[in-house]
Amino acid sequence: MTSKETQPVNLSTLPIPQLTSIKNQLTQELQHLTNSFTQLRAAQSKFRDCIKSIREGVEKEGKEGEFVGAPILVPLTPSLYVPGKLASTQTVLVDVGTGFYVEKTPAVARQFYTSKVEELGKTLKDLETIVQGKQGNLSVVEDVLRQRMISESTSNSQDAKGGGGDG
């Protein structure tokens, strides 16, 4: 057997401190996965905003070149803008990651962002399945831990009652 293979563990045989440790580990994993899910959703939303901006800002119906020279706000940071004028509607610069920008036609840029939205959708669906599995595991561990603590406190109470009449 290799070290990567896992064997099922009977949770009811584990001591309470080990169950608590497993519960804490599962809770941390769930927090991490939930944060990742939130970040992926935000990225998906940004890509959808890019598609909307291309449609509404560059591909609006009208004569070709009609929007050239139109006033726009150019972002310098996420919260700082400067006024500018639209130079061309024939091409857009697409951030393809790690600070690299590629010039594309609006239709190709829209297709690029659409594929990103779909790819993230599949990843989110897979991640959601993993999160649900982890939540189920956590629920089982919490139930076993609760039962163990109740049975231990009950047996301790009975030991205290039974041990008091011998003297």
Side-chain angles (χ1 to χ4, degrees):
M1 178 165 74
T2 65
S3 61
K4 290 191 178 190
E5 292 181 38
T6 57
Q7 293 290 323
V9 176
N10 185 352
L11 293 175
S12 60
T13 63
L14 296 177
I16 289 177
Q18 195 169 2
L19 285 170
T20 303
S21 176
I22 292 170
K23 176 186 172 264
N24 291 340
Q25 180 182 354
L26 284 170
T27 301
Q28 287 176 348
E29 288 175 10
L30 262 173
Q31 275 183 323
H32 175 72
L33 290 171
T34 303
N35 289 341
S36 297
F37 189 88
T38 302
Q39 290 171 351
L40 289 173
R41 271 273 187 236
Q44 191 181 43
S45 177
K46 285 181 184 180
F47 289 143
R48 282 190 177 119
D49 287 345
C50 290
I51 294 168
K52 182 179 175 184
S53 294
I54 291 169
R55 278 197 186 115
E56 294 178 4
V58 181
E59 292 183 327
K60 281 185 179 176
E61 290 183 32
K63 293 180 239 163
E64 184 146 332
E66 180 180 345
F67 298 106
V68 173
I72 59 171
L73 292 175
V74 180
L76 296 179
T77 70
S79 60
L80 178 64
Y81 298 83
V82 294
K85 292 186 180 204
L86 188 60
S88 170
T89 58
Q90 302 299 307
T91 59
V92 294
L93 289 177
V94 176
D95 183 352
V96 293
T98 61
F100 288 97
Y101 294 87
V102 177
E103 192 172 294
K104 296 181 182 277
T105 64
V108 172
R110 197 171 15 85
Q111 184 180 15
F112 171 80
Y113 287 122
T114 300
S115 71
K116 289 290 186 187
V117 167
E118 290 169 358
E119 183 181 320
L120 283 173
K122 291 174 187 170
T123 302
L124 284 164
K125 188 175 182 179
D126 293 344
L127 188 56
E128 187 174 13
T129 302
I130 292 169
V131 166
Q132 288 172 349
K134 292 280 183 188
Q135 285 173 330
N137 292 346
L138 179 60
S139 179
V140 168
V141 170
E142 287 174 334
D143 288 345
V144 170
L145 183 59
R146 192 175 307 110
Q147 290 170 357
R148 290 287 306 278
M149 293 177 92
I150 289 170
S151 69
E152 190 170 291
S153 68
T154 303
S155 67
N156 285 345
S157 297
Q158 290 176 354
D159 288 346
K161 288 178 185 177
D166 289 343

